[in-house]
C-alpha cells in the first residue's frame, strides 16, 4: 500500500562544516604565516557571521569537544549557490591550509504537515499574515541562538521489516510525532532546536541541531526521548558533535589553547551590526521579514524526526502550566530579545497601574524592574487573541520574554507584553503594533507597587487570580468572618469568566471540545457553561491551578463565538461565588433564597449587579457573579448579618463549601 508522506515546506539551506586542525603543521609554521592565517580566518568568520555574502542568512562558529574535529562552522543561506560560495571562500583563506575537513553535512530547514493546523497552512486555508503562518515561516528561517553549547547529529527512521516507519499509516506516524513533541515542550526555554531535512542531500535523512546553556538539559531531553517508541522503535542516530560557541575574534585564543570566549575581543557580529544588506538585529537576532528565532522542541514546524510535535496551540497547550514559558531571566546575552520589529509607543510612568487595571500584577505575573507594553485595540478581542497567539509562541523562545496576551478593561481590548529589558520590549513593539485595530500604544518600567488597579470581570480573556497581595488580604479578612475564600483544596485558583451572546447549544458544543483538551492537564480544575436562572445571560467559567495556565487558556476561550464583556467591565470590584453544589432537594429553595438576598443587595450602597447562573450539565451546580463600586462596598456585604445568616443556611443545603474568587 502506498503510504501518504507529510507535506513539507523548505527554507534555508544548511551546512555544518567540521574541521580538524593540522597541529603539526601549525606548530612548524613560521610566526608570520600563522599571523596571516589567523587574520584571514578571523576575517572570514566575521564576514560569515555578518552575512556579508548574502541578502539574508546566519552563521556561527564553535569549538568541538571530544571528536575528530576541532571547529564547526554553521552556515544557513537562502540558496545552494550561497552555501557553495561560503564553503569555497573558506578554502581560499590561508587558515584553511592548516585544516582538514573532518565531516560536513548538507541539509535544508523544513516544516512538515503532521499536525492539523500545519496541514491548514499547507492547504492554503490560512491567511499568510496569520500567527500560525508566521510561526511556521520562522521555523524555516531560524536565528542561530547565542546559547553556549551546540549539539549536532544526523538521524534516520528505521526500515526494518518489523520496525518500518515508512510502512506505518499516516495517522499512526502523526500520533508518534505528537507524543514525542509533548516531551520536547517540557524543555521549552532550556533547549532550542533546528530541524533540517537531508533526504537526497546527504547520507542521513535529517540533521538535528540543539542549543542550550547547560549540556545536561540536552542530555536529559535526549534520554527521555530515547525511551519514547518513536525513537526506541523507529530511529537510528549518527555521530554526535558537541561544541561551544565563540566570537570570530577569539580564533587566535582557540589556536593558543586558551579558554574561550575570552571576553576581550569584539562582540559577536550580527547581520545588522556588520552589514547593510537589509537584515537587522536587536539583541543579537537577525530579522527575516519579521520572523522569529530558533525552533524549540514541540513546535509546529517539527516533522518526521525524533523531536517532532505539535504547536502548543494544537492540543490544549494552554494548560502547559508555563512549561513552555521563557524563564524571564534578565540575561544580557544577545539571544534574549525577540525577533526584530521596531515600533513606536508613548513611554509613560504609570505602566504598572495600566497593567494592574488589566489584571496583570507584580509578583504574580512579573518582577519589579521588568518593562511592560499596553497596546489598546478597537478590534474584537477574539480577533486580537487569534493574531497574538502566533506572536506569543515566537516571543516564548527568547529569555527576556515574560508574558504576552490579550486583556480587557473599560470595554476595550488590549495587547499586553512584558519583557525583562526595555530594548527587548521596543523590538516586540514593532510586531504588536501590527495587530488589528491598535490605536493607542504605551510602555514603561514596572514597579513593585502597581497601585491595585481594578481588573475587569469581563470576557475577552482576562484572567483573574487570588495569588496577589490584595487577594491574600481579602482572604484574611474573610477568614475572620468564617468565609472560605480563594484556596480550594489548599491551592490558589485562577479564574476566567467569559460571557457570550451565541446560541447556548452552539456555545456548549464549542466548550466541550476545548474541555477535552484542557482535561489532559493537571492544572485544569474545571470548565463549564452556565446560564442565568433569571434572564438570558450565558457564561463560560474556567478554573486553573496556576496563573500561567489560566492566562494561556484565555487565548483559546476568546476564540469562542460571540464573546462579549459584562456590563460595567473595566471598573469597580467583582467577585465570583464558584460552584455552589446544592443538594438536589434544596435546589428550588436555594434559587428562592438567592432572589430574596438579591432584593437586599439591590438596596445596598455600591451594589451594581448580582446574577445567579446554573451549570447546563448539572442544575445543582451554581455560579454567582457580583459587581460592586469598590472593594469596601463588597466587604461591607460580606461582613453583614444578612450574609452571615445566608452562609449558615447554606451549610445545610450545600454539599461542599463554595469557592470565592475575587476579580479586582
Amino acid at each position: 500500500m502506498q503510504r501518504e508522506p507529510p507535506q513539507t515546506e523548505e527554507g534555508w539551506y544548511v551546512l555544518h562544516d567540521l574541521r580538524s586542525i593540522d597541529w603539526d603543521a601549525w606548530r612548524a609554521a613560521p610566526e608570520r604565516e600563522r599571523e596571516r592565517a589567523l587574520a584571514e580566518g578571523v576575517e572570514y568568520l566575521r564576514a560569515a557571521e555578518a552575512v556579508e555574502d548574502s541578502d539574508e542568512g546566519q552563521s556561527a562558529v564553535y569549538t568541538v569537544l571530544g571528536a575528530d574535529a576541532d571547529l564547526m562552522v554553521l552556515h544557513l543561506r537562502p540558496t545552494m549557490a550561497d552555501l557553495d560560495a561560503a564553503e569555497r571562500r573558506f578554502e581560499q583563506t590561508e587558515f584553511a591550509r592548516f585544516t582538514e575537513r573532518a565531516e560536513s553535512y548538507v541539509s535544508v530547514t523544513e516544516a512538515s504537515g503532521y499536525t492539523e493546523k500545519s496541514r491548514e497552512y499547507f492547504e492554503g486555508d490560512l491567511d499568510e499574515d496569520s500567527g500560525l503562518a508566521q510561526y511556521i515561516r520562522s521555523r524555516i528561517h531560524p536565528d542561530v541562538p547565542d546559547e553556549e553549547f551546540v549539539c549536532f547529529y544526523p538521524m534516520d527512521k528505521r526500515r526494518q521489516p518489523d520496525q518500518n516507519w515508512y510502512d506505518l499509516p499516516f495517522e499512526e506516524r502523526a500520533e508518534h510525532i505528537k507524543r514525542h513533541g509533548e516531551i520536547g515542550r517540557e524543555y521549552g526555554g532550556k533547549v532550542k532546536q533546528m530541524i533540517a531535512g537531508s533526504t537526497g542531500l546527504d547520507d542521513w535523512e535529517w540533521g538535528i541541531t540543539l542549543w542550550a546553556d547547560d549540556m545536561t538539559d540536552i542530555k536529559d531531553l535526549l534520554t527521555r526521548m530515547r525511551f519514547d517508541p518513536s525513537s526506541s522503535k523507529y530511529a537510528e542516530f549518527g555521530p554526535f558533535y558537541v561544541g561551544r560557541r565563540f566570537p570570530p575574534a577569539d580564533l587566535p585564543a582557540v589556536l593558543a589553547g586558551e579558554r574561550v570566549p575570552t571576553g576581550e575581543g569584539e562582540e559577536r557580529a550580527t547581520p545588522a551590526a556588520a552589514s547593510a544588506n537589509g537584515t537587522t538585529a536587536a539583541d543579537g537576532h537577525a530579522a527575516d521579514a519579521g520572523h522569529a528565532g530558533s525552533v524549540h522542541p514541540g513546535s509546529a514546524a517539527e516533522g518526521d524526526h525524533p523531536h517532532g510535535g505539535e504547536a502548543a496551540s494544537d492540543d490544549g497547550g494552554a494548560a502547559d502550566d508555563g512549561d513552555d514559558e521563557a524563564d524571564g531571566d534578565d540575561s544580557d546575552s544577545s539571544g534574549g530579545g525577540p525577533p526584530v520589529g521596531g515600533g513606536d509607543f508613548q513611554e509613560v510612568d504609570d505602566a504598572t497601574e495600566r497593567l494592574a487595571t488589566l489584571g496583570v500584577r507584580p509578583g504574580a505575573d512579573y518582577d519589579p524592574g521588568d518593562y511592560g507594553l499596553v497596546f489598546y485595540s478597537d478590534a474584537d478581542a477574539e480577533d486580537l487573541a487569534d493574531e497574538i497567539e502566533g506572536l506569543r509562541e515566537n516571543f516564548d523562545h527568547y529569555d527576556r520574554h515574560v508574558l504576552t496576551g490579550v486583556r480587557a478593561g473599560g470595554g476595550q481590548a488590549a495587547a499586553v507584553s512584558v519583557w525583562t529589558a526595555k530594548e527587548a520590549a521596543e523590538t516586540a513593539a514593532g510586531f504588536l503594533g501590527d495587530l488589528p485595530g491598535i490605536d493607542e500604544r504605551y510602555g514603561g518600567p514596572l514597579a513593585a507597587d502597581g497601585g491595585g488597579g481594578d481588573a475587569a470581570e469581563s470576557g475577552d480573556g482576562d484572567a483573574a487570580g487570588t495569588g496577589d497581595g490584595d487577594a491574600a488580604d481579602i482572604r484574611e479578612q474573610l477568614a475572620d468572618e468564617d468565609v472560605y475564600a480563594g484556596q480550594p483544596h489548599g491551592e490558589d485558583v485562577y479564574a476566567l469568566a467569559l460571557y457570550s451572546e451565541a446560541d447556548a447549544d452552539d456555545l456548549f458544543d464549542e466548550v466541550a471540545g476545548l474541555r477535552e483538551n484542557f482535561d489532559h492537564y493537571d492544572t485544569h480544575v474545571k470548565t463549564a457553561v452556565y446560564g442565568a436562572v433569571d434572564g438570558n445571560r450565558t457564561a463560560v467559567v474556567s478554573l486553573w491551578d496556576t496563573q500561567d495556565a489560566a492566562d494561556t487558556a484565555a487565548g483559546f476561550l476568546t476564540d469562542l463565538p460571540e464573546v462579549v464583556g459584562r456590563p460595567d467591565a473595566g471598573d469597580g470590584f467583582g467577585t465570583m461565588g464558584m460552584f455552589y453544589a446544592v443538594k438536589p432537594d434544596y435546589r428550588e429553595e436555594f434559587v428562592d433564597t438567592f432572589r430574596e438576598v438579591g432584593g437586599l443587595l439591590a438596596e445596598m450602597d455600591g451594589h451594581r449587579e448580582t446574577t445567579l447562573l446554573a451549570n447546563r450539565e448539572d442544575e445543582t451546580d451554581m455560579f454567582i457573579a457580583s459587581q460592586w463600586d469598590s472593594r469596601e462596598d463588597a466587604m461591607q456585604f460580606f461582613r453583614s448579618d444578612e450574609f452571615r445568616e445566608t452562609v449558615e443556611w447554606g451549610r445545610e443545603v450545600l454539599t461542599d463549601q463554595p469557592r470565592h474568587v475575587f476579580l479586582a
Side-chain angles (χ1 to χ4, degrees), residues 464-547:
T466 62
D468 58 32
D470 288 344
D473 292 342
I474 295 170
R475 287 199 299 270
E476 184 176 352
Q477 293 182 46
L478 290 179
D480 294 337
E481 307 295 330
D482 296 324
V483 178
Y484 182 72
Q487 290 183 308
H489 311 300
E491 297 179 356
D492 285 335
V493 63
Y494 294 83
L496 299 160
L498 298 92
Y499 297 86
S500 173
E501 295 178 342
D503 178 80
D505 291 333
D506 293 341
L507 183 65
F508 179 79
D509 291 341
E510 294 282 347
V511 171
L514 274 182
R515 188 169 56 197
E516 289 181 5
N517 287 334
F518 289 168
D519 283 342
H520 292 132
Y521 299 90
D522 295 337
T523 51
H524 182 228
V525 178
K526 188 168 186 176
T527 298
V529 177
Y530 291 77
V533 173
D534 296 319
N536 298 318
R537 172 164 294 172
T538 303
V540 179
V541 176
S542 189
L543 292 185
W544 297 83
D545 283 335
T546 70
Q547 176 72 62

Side-chain angles (χ1 to χ4, degrees), residues 137-157:
R137 287 198 297 270
S138 75
R139 298 302 162 249
I140 58 178
H141 303 100
D143 288 344
V144 175
D146 276 340
E147 271 71 8
E148 178 179 2
F149 295 101
V150 66
C151 174
F152 167 72
Y153 60 94
M155 66 148 297
D156 281 344
K157 288 295 190 181

Side-chain angles (χ1 to χ4, degrees), residues 171-201:
E171 292 75 14
E172 188 172 344
R173 281 179 278 136
E175 184 61 31
H176 276 291
I177 296 298
K178 174 183 176 181
R179 186 180 60 251
H180 211 62
E182 289 172 351
I183 298 173
R185 278 196 293 274
E186 297 180 24
Y187 291 81
K190 295 181 179 179
V191 180
K192 297 178 180 177
Q193 173 178 270
M194 179 177 69
I195 300 302
S198 49
T199 301
L201 301 179

Side-chain angles (χ1 to χ4, degrees), residues 338-636:
V340 172
D344 296 327
F345 55 86
Q346 179 182 346
E347 187 161 26
V348 294
D349 295 329
D350 64 346
T352 310
E353 289 76 10
R354 289 176 184 271
L355 285 176
T357 63
L358 296 166
V360 182
R361 301 177 183 275
D365 303 304
Y366 61 83
D367 294 327
D370 290 347
Y371 199 93
L373 301 171
V374 181
F375 283 27
Y376 296 99
S377 172
D378 59 12
D380 291 338
E382 181 179 353
D383 296 337
L384 193 64
D386 180 62
E387 291 292 333
I388 210 169
E389 180 182 331
L391 281 182
R392 180 171 55 211
E393 290 175 349
N394 287 338
F395 289 170
D396 280 347
H397 300 140
Y398 299 90
D399 291 342
R400 296 183 182 182
H401 182 233
V402 178
L403 65 87
T404 295
V406 176
R407 300 291 190 278
Q412 187 177 25
V416 300
S417 190
V418 178
W419 298 78
T420 62
K422 178 181 179 180
E423 58 268 26
E426 288 175 335
T427 303
F431 294 92
L432 295 170
D434 289 337
L435 292 169
I438 296 295
D439 54 7
E440 296 181 63
R441 312 176 188 201
Y442 302 98
L446 303 177
D449 52 349
D454 300 322
E457 186 190 342
S458 77
D460 302 346
D462 58 328
T466 62
D468 58 32
D470 288 344
D473 292 342
I474 295 170
R475 287 199 299 270
E476 184 176 352
Q477 293 182 46
L478 290 179
D480 294 337
E481 307 295 330
D482 296 324
V483 178
Y484 182 72
Q487 290 183 308
H489 311 300
E491 297 179 356
D492 285 335
V493 63
Y494 294 83
L496 299 160
L498 298 92
Y499 297 86
S500 173
E501 295 178 342
D503 178 80
D505 291 333
D506 293 341
L507 183 65
F508 179 79
D509 291 341
E510 294 282 347
V511 171
L514 274 182
R515 188 169 56 197
E516 289 181 5
N517 287 334
F518 289 168
D519 283 342
H520 292 132
Y521 299 90
D522 295 337
T523 51
H524 182 228
V525 178
K526 188 168 186 176
T527 298
V529 177
Y530 291 77
V533 173
D534 296 319
N536 298 318
R537 172 164 294 172
T538 303
V540 179
V541 176
S542 189
L543 292 185
W544 297 83
D545 283 335
T546 70
Q547 176 72 62
D548 283 341
D551 184 52
T552 313
F556 294 87
L557 292 167
T558 52
D559 285 336
L560 293 171
E562 298 185 53
V563 170
V564 296
R566 60 174 288 126
D568 297 324
D571 60 355
F573 181 83
T575 72
M576 290 191 298
M578 306 299 293
F579 304 135
Y580 284 82
V582 184
K583 295 177 181 177
D585 292 342
Y586 289 92
R587 203 266 184 183
E588 291 186 12
E589 184 178 349
F590 183 89
V591 173
D592 290 339
T593 301
F594 170 81
R595 289 170 178 152
E596 293 176 9
V597 174
L600 295 173
L601 289 172
E603 300 175 0
M604 294 193 68
D605 291 338
H607 177 258
R608 297 183 182 181
E609 179 188 47
T610 296
T611 305
L612 176 67
L613 302 98
N615 190 334
R616 283 176 52 86
E617 298 166 272
D618 179 3
E619 66 175 5
T620 65
D621 176 13
M622 302 289 191
F623 154 47
I624 299 176
S626 296
Q627 192 75 11
W628 302 79
D629 286 342
S630 69
R631 163 179 160 172
E632 186 55 34
D633 289 328
M635 292 305 300
Q636 285 284 65

